[in-house]
Amino acid sequence: MKYIGKKLIMMAATLIAVSFFVFLSFFIMSGDPVTSMLGTEATPEKVEALREELGLNAPFFTQYFRWATSFLKGDMGISYSYHIPVTAMVADKIPVTLALSGLAFLMMLLLAVPLGIYTAKHEGGLADRVIYILNQVMMAIPPFFAGILITFLFGRVFRWFTPGGYVSYKDDFGQFIGYMFFPALAIALPKMAMAVKLLRSSVIGEVKKDYVRTAFSRGNRSNQVFYSHILKNAVIPVITFLGMALADMVAGSIIIEQVFSIPGLGRILLTSISNRDYPVVEAIIICIAFIVVVINLLVDIVYRLIDPRISAEE
Amino acid sequence: MLTTLTIALSGCSGDKAGENSSKITIGILQDIEDSLDPHKAVAAGTKEVFFNMFEGLVKPDENGNIIPAVASDYHPSDDGKVYTFTLRKGIKFHDGSPVTVEDIKYSIDKCADTSNGEPLIAAFSNIESVNILDEETVEIVLKEADTEFAVFLANVTAAIIPASNESPDTNPIGTGPYKYVSRSPQENFIMEQYDEYWGEGAHIKNVILKVRSSADSYVMDLEGGSVDMIARITATQAAELSDEFNVLEGTMNLVQALYLNNAAEPFQDVRVRQALCYAVDPQEIMDFVSDGKGTEIGSSMFPTFEKYYVEELKDTYSKDVEKAKALLAEAGYPDGFSFTITVPSNYQQHVDTAQVLVEEFKAIGVNAEIQLIEWDSWLSDVYAGRNYESTVIGVDASSLTARALLERFDSSASNNFINFGNAEYDAALQAAMDSVDDEEKTQYYKECQRILAQEAANVYIQDLPEFVAINKKFAGYTFYPLYVQDFSKLYIVEDK
């Protein structure tokens, strides 16, 4: 319990630091939400009046504390561009990003675990060598480029999906997941390759340990030793990686949403940055940061559950 | 025989009327990131969509005429100081409520309000009062005569909206042929045909504007079938499309130029500005940027504004490297100079133009460097802050009058982002605005253009071509001389 309490305090501190630095960076960088809102019709009088109305003439710390206080009360403010509550915007888009990264994570697990085990069991075989090469290629391709290749190949050449097509989860969940499939694949592939490599080397490392030899000498069957001893130990370093991969996928979906025209948090974030729509940018970055720190916390907890030695060490 | 012919003809011409289950999906790059209140919306991309939902007392047609809209009729007084409007009988807002003269007064007063320093439409600062004469007549009294006042009422910003609407920012109610259904940020903006529209109205029931993340995916989006139409595609994209699409060519109605900060060194010297003009061949730029298409321009006016356009001004500076070098030497720059062209990175055609300019300037010993910046930074640093040396951009007209393009170069104009200052120009512009005789007014506007060209206020290049890709299932796309899109004219050719 003390451990979780400590972690929660760290989480809160991280989120405060993130929000502060995002606020500060907007304060320093060039561009102004007011000129963005008024466009080419901006006149010094109109700019001044709108700045006053939005409270942007106040000193930096006043603006930050004003924003942070309302945020803590659950009020994320009103979008400068869309004039709608940021809370509603974020609540509408969060399921899209979570579904995309969740599906990518699931794909990675479903592909990486069997392939990792298979290649470890058949170390040096033809399949192992082919998978090794494919892994190297997949790790070298960044998700956005994988996205472009997938769109071209499966969307344009094979016509398995409509590039740029999208159906909201509110309209048809089945079709929504269908449209998420290829973008999720683009996110999953490089991470899957890494997971296969990690699991394979971890399993091979375990197989060579003394306790495995002892287990076999006691007459245990090969599969029994593998699943109840080797895999259990081999999976520990992989869990850490999976946690990091999931956090990375949430953040990485920002780029993929752009490539596949998926209206999730990422796309709103990018346009809001260019519009200097501070309330939206702050809210989304905090949401993403929150998801990432929660994933890290969960990984820590799972890690301790699998390997009690970690709790004993602390 | 007659039946067969009727069926065959209806197959060809499509169901211009009576189609109730139809929809068109149109790709847009710029989301409606604005207030839904037409009086507050500022982005050109928003206004072109709002053109379908809102109307003013009058509105522009595709030929550049001002036609009655919410008002069925209007009369300016002989001295150009009083405009009297008759409210169209039976006209209703999208929520079903009738449009009243109170709504008209409310809307015009709101646009003329100066509590924030300036009115929403600059020309409205001339309004002395808006008076309700009876239940169907309203008069607008001006402080000074303005025979062009009606064109400013045709601006989307001057839309008539209900005075009773408490949340126009999120609940738009207008009188246009389409009414608002919903919007999802960065996803879509949906409109529906307004059944009780006073005029001919829309032919397609639902218009779904899908926000695309990147112009690079336009061809795939169209070919893949996720969108039926996209405006402002590039010539290269148009060439890549299959025969499932029609590519229509119009003009963007922009004055694309290398805008020079006339207050920055060395552009204070007219000889330097003229030297840059002599170094440039607009055709070379058009060949590179828009496949040779586009129209060369020589001043701040594009050819669609036929009445005001002075064609011969494009020949003011024919490319002449020697003359350019001589002018530079005369101005004290025999070895040339260096300067920066600041370009908003989101407009590829302006970036491409800047690249050709850099090459052309090398020939006269001038070293130009391109600085790409975000659109938002361009607005605050270049446009509002005037902190730049030169920039490539396209300037459009918000209203169907030369004044919309020329007024900004008055030395005291708050949007004179090039810091142009010329007493002769100011006098000609003032004379144009004061004149009540249309011919005389036009002559003064032409004089303004001549001064801009002779003074080389900017390096004028072209009015860019506009390509619209539309699936052959649809027809009826109409180009306007303003930055608007009229979806109500689209119709379905056949059901595939």
Side-chain angles (χ1 to χ4, degrees), chain B residues 176-208:
Chain B
Y178 278 103
K179 61 180 180 181
Y180 171 76
V181 175
S182 66
R183 79 160 160 187
S184 178
Q186 288 301 309
E187 186 176 345
N188 57 34
F189 187 91
I190 302 175
M191 294 181 291
E192 188 184 54
Q193 183 182 43
Y194 175 42
D195 294 333
E196 291 186 75
Y197 184 62
W198 59 268
E200 189 191 348
H203 308 300
I204 297 177
K205 189 168 169 57
N206 294 302
V207 170
I208 300 160

Side-chain angles (χ1 to χ4, degrees), chain A residues 43-64:
Chain A
T43 60
E45 292 84 4
K46 283 185 189 172
V47 167
E48 198 44 41
L50 195 54
R51 287 189 69 83
E52 198 58 45
E53 190 188 321
L54 297 173
L56 293 167
N57 283 335
F60 170 74
F61 284 103
T62 314
Q63 283 188 51
Y64 178 71

Side-chain angles (χ1 to χ4, degrees), chain A residues 36-37 41 82 164 258, chain B residues 31 42 47 183 212-213 376:
Chain A
S36 180
M37 287 165 81
E41 288 172 30
Y82 295 98
Q258 194 71 2
Chain B
D31 193 9
V42 290
K47 287 185 182 177
R183 79 160 160 187
R212 316 315 303 158
S213 53
D376 189 75

Side-chain angles (χ1 to χ4, degrees), chain B residues 22-275:
Chain B
S22 56
K23 70 164 187 178
I24 183 166
T25 308
I26 297 167
I28 52 169
L29 197 56
Q30 191 178 1
D31 193 9
I32 315 298
E33 296 157 352
D34 246 321
S35 164
L36 297 184
D37 180 349
H39 296 173
K40 286 191 196 165
V42 290
T46 303
K47 287 185 182 177
E48 71 171 353
V49 172
F50 281 7
F51 181 75
N52 298 275
M53 291 170 18
F54 298 101
E55 293 169 319
L57 286 164
V58 289
K59 64 193 275 187
D61 75 0
E62 63 269 36
N63 300 316
N65 304 310
I66 300 294
I67 56 169
V70 171
S72 58
D73 201 4
Y74 75 97
H75 299 288
S77 62
D78 290 340
D79 63 359
K81 282 182 86 171
V82 181
Y83 283 73
T84 312
F85 298 87
T86 309
L87 174 62
R88 188 176 290 280
K89 275 195 172 56
I91 185 169
K92 285 179 180 173
F93 284 116
H94 294 154
D95 64 351
S97 62
V99 181
T100 65
V101 281
E102 282 78 16
D103 295 320
I104 294 175
K105 180 172 166 53
Y106 161 79
S107 303
I108 303 295
D109 279 344
K110 194 173 151 208
C111 292
D113 180 29
T114 52
S115 55
N116 275 350
E118 276 188 42
L120 296 172
I121 295 173
F124 280 21
S125 59
N126 191 21
I127 293 180
E128 189 171 276
S129 61
V130 181
N131 308 316
I132 295 172
L133 300 183
D134 59 45
E135 281 190 359
E136 53 182 32
T137 322
V138 176
E139 67 168 20
I140 300 177
V141 180
L142 305 180
K143 293 172 194 161
E144 308 278 339
D146 183 356
T147 52
E148 290 179 308
F149 188 70
V151 299
F152 298 104
L153 291 168
N155 194 318
V156 172
T157 307
I160 304 301
I161 61 172
S164 58
N165 187 0
E166 283 175 0
S167 48
D169 273 334
T170 50
N171 177 32
I173 300 171
T175 58
Y178 278 103
K179 61 180 180 181
Y180 171 76
V181 175
S182 66
R183 79 160 160 187
S184 178
Q186 288 301 309
E187 186 176 345
N188 57 34
F189 187 91
I190 302 175
M191 294 181 291
E192 188 184 54
Q193 183 182 43
Y194 175 42
D195 294 333
E196 291 186 75
Y197 184 62
W198 59 268
E200 189 191 348
H203 308 300
I204 297 177
K205 189 168 169 57
N206 294 302
V207 170
I208 300 160
L209 302 170
K210 262 196 161 185
V211 187
R212 316 315 303 158
S213 53
S214 148
D216 299 333
S217 65
Y218 274 178
V219 174
M220 273 208 259
D221 293 341
L222 287 161
E223 292 289 349
S226 60
V227 293
D228 301 308
M229 186 192 112
I230 298 181
R232 302 185 192 93
I233 61 167
T234 63
T236 320
Q237 287 170 328
E240 281 179 46
L241 286 169
S242 70
D243 61 1
E244 256 184 72
F245 296 88
N246 279 323
V247 177
L248 314 171
E249 189 187 333
T251 58
M252 280 200 195
N253 301 314
L254 290 175
V255 176
Q256 195 210 31
L258 172 71
Y259 287 88
L260 302 171
N261 185 349
N262 283 225
E265 197 70 52
F267 304 124
Q268 289 156 322
D269 191 326
V270 64
R271 292 166 298 187
V272 173
R273 302 196 300 263
Q274 285 171 333

